[in-house]
Amino acid sequence: RLVHALRRQRIIDVGYGHNPCRQRNLLSRQPFGIAFSVELLVMVVSNLHSHGQEALGAPLLDDGGWLFTVSSSGEAQAFDTAAGFALRWSAELDSVDVQPLLARVTGGTPRLVGTRRASDRVRSVAVHPDSLATEFPLPDDARLEADPVVAVVGGRERLALLYDGLVDLREPDGRTVSSWPVSLPSASVPDSNAWLAAWPAPDGEGDDRIVIVNERGQITRVGGDGRVEFLGNALDEAPVDELVLADVDGDGGLDLIVTSALRVHALHESGAPLRGFPVLLSELLIVLESEEDRLVRSPVVADLDRDGRNEVAFTTFYGITHVVSGSGEVEDGFPRAFSAGDGSLAVLDLPD
């Protein structure tokens, strides 16, 4: 549903569970904003729905222009965006219920990776005809404490896992990586849940750092060399959705954006909050739809008004959509009540 327009950018509320292009820092290293037509994106989602399925998480885009989807039943498919979204590949990736990942393999075939929350194993399938999914177990009956992410370490895409207070790196096919796992400081070990993201180096060169936010709001960062930095209790509350990495303050570096139930946090590379953040939901609402209204999804960060600076857009459980500037100030025309429901936002760059 088209819910708002600011010049050529559109904010799309596409609902939870089948969002075709919600911004996610975990999916690919391409610039956010996919220049596909709405009709084609809807066609891909409708193809899944016509088979009585629902897409699991957001689709993945590879360098060759293939768009990958995984259904709630574990059916993986790849559509060729250069050929009218023709179906090019399919495979079974059973027993998954979290956002799938696409890991590129140097000199080899990309692999689609999936797992379940709190699982003791991870599944992986190579993207080539007749490929069968394989799985690798975690050591000593450990269970995942966070959804995996893809991190570039040593010039290669690898899987970052968190289990039993350990941060581990694995090759996309499950092979171990030398010198890993590493232990988190006892103060930052999660009680049961945490959130991961791969934070690129400030200069864009070198290894990604794996950032871990536990349910107490404590932040730890682990470098590609295994060095651990404890950034403290910057949030003092649990996230509600994926971590987002984007340049909020316009200094050219990626900031960490974290949504809790009642706040949107934006943190600098150092772990310090950006000017104007956190943004408190209670200070933004003009008329509360409900005293129980809250944030339930990650924000979208994009240059909505084409002024060269990013804005932060987010919506509440009861459908109140907000847009704030990179300094946390409310943008003109917001908040707006677009639709009720546990929805997500996406930004499409459409032609005039």
Side-chain angles (χ1 to χ4, degrees):
R1 288 163 291 171
L2 189 63
V3 293
H4 190 64
L6 289 173
R7 297 189 186 174
R8 294 176 58 208
Q9 293 274 13
R10 308 303 204 267
I11 300 177
I12 309 295
D13 178 356
V14 292
Y16 174 63
H18 53 273
N19 191 331
C21 52
R22 187 171 83 187
Q23 172 175 325
R24 288 172 184 259
N25 57 298
L26 311 182
L27 298 190
S28 75
R29 311 185 75 76
Q30 300 193 23
F32 295 122
I34 302 176
F36 301 146
S37 74
V38 174
E39 290 80 7
L40 287 175
L41 286 168
V42 170
M43 183 188 72
V44 173
V45 175
S46 298
N47 180 63
L48 287 170
H49 287 180
S50 67
H51 291 82
Q53 302 180 49
E54 190 172 86
L56 178 64
L60 312 169
L61 183 68
D62 76 355
D63 291 335
W66 281 21
L67 192 73
F68 293 82
T69 67
V70 178
S71 74
S72 54
S73 65
E75 181 184 358
Q77 296 180 311
F79 301 88
D80 188 347
T81 62
F85 284 80
L87 179 64
R88 298 301 193 196
W89 173 83
S90 64
E92 290 297 326
L93 192 66
D94 297 327
S95 301
V96 296
D97 66 0
V98 302
Q99 171 65 52
L101 301 172
L102 184 66
R104 286 162 286 200
V105 179
T106 304
T109 304
R111 298 188 74 91
L112 200 62
V113 180
T115 187
R116 299 183 67 84
R117 289 182 174 86
S119 178
D120 62 352
R121 61 196 61 240
V122 177
R123 298 181 64 83
S124 173
V125 59
V127 182
H128 64 71
D130 304 320
S131 180
L132 298 177
T134 59
E135 63 182 25
F136 57 90
L138 303 180
D140 301 323
D141 296 322
R143 293 190 175 273
L144 293 171
E145 296 172 311
D147 296 351
V149 299
V150 173
V152 177
V153 177
R156 304 167 66 176
E157 290 193 351
R158 287 164 164 159
L159 302 178
L161 311 175
L162 178 67
Y163 54 85
D164 285 358
L166 302 173
V167 179
D168 200 3
L169 282 184
R170 295 291 187 98
E171 301 293 353
D173 60 4
R175 288 175 293 134
T176 58
V177 176
S178 178
S179 302
W180 293 80
V182 299
S183 299
L184 291 177
S186 57
S188 63
V189 171
D191 296 327
S192 58
N193 296 307
W195 292 258
L196 300 182
W199 201 336
D203 57 5
E205 302 291 336
D207 294 333
D208 288 351
R209 287 82 47 80
I210 302 162
V211 59
I212 305 101
V213 181
N214 65 24
E215 64 271 83
R216 301 184 300 277
Q218 296 164 318
I219 301 177
T220 308
R221 195 164 52 199
V222 180
D225 58 359
R227 187 169 65 93
V228 179
E229 302 174 82
F230 181 54
L231 300 183
N233 192 359
L235 308 180
D236 198 29
E237 55 188 344
V240 295
D241 202 9
E242 292 104 338
L243 310 181
V244 174
L245 291 164
D247 183 8
V248 174
D249 59 2
D251 66 355
L254 294 182
D255 306 303
L256 177 66
I257 303 96
V258 185
T259 304
S260 69
L262 299 176
R263 297 175 180 83
V264 176
H265 298 263
L267 306 176
H268 187 264
E269 165 79 19
S270 64
L274 298 183
R275 182 173 62 89
F277 288 87
V279 171
L280 276 65
L281 182 62
S282 60
E283 295 181 358
L284 295 177
L285 294 176
I286 299 174
V287 178
L288 284 171
E289 291 290 309
S290 168
E291 293 182 356
E292 298 178 353
D293 205 4
R294 61 196 184 279
L295 301 172
V296 292
R297 297 283 164 242
S298 298
V300 170
V301 182
D303 182 6
L304 298 175
D305 56 8
R306 294 301 179 91
D307 65 352
R309 297 184 298 273
N310 283 334
E311 287 77 40
V312 182
F314 49 95
T315 192
T316 71
F317 180 80
Y318 285 97
I320 307 298
T321 297
H322 304 268
V323 176
V324 300
S325 69
S327 57
E329 299 174 350
V330 177
E331 292 286 299
D332 292 343
F334 291 91
R336 286 193 177 190
F338 289 128
S339 63
D342 185 7
S344 303
L345 292 180
V347 175
L348 297 179
D349 189 3
L350 301 178
D352 291 327

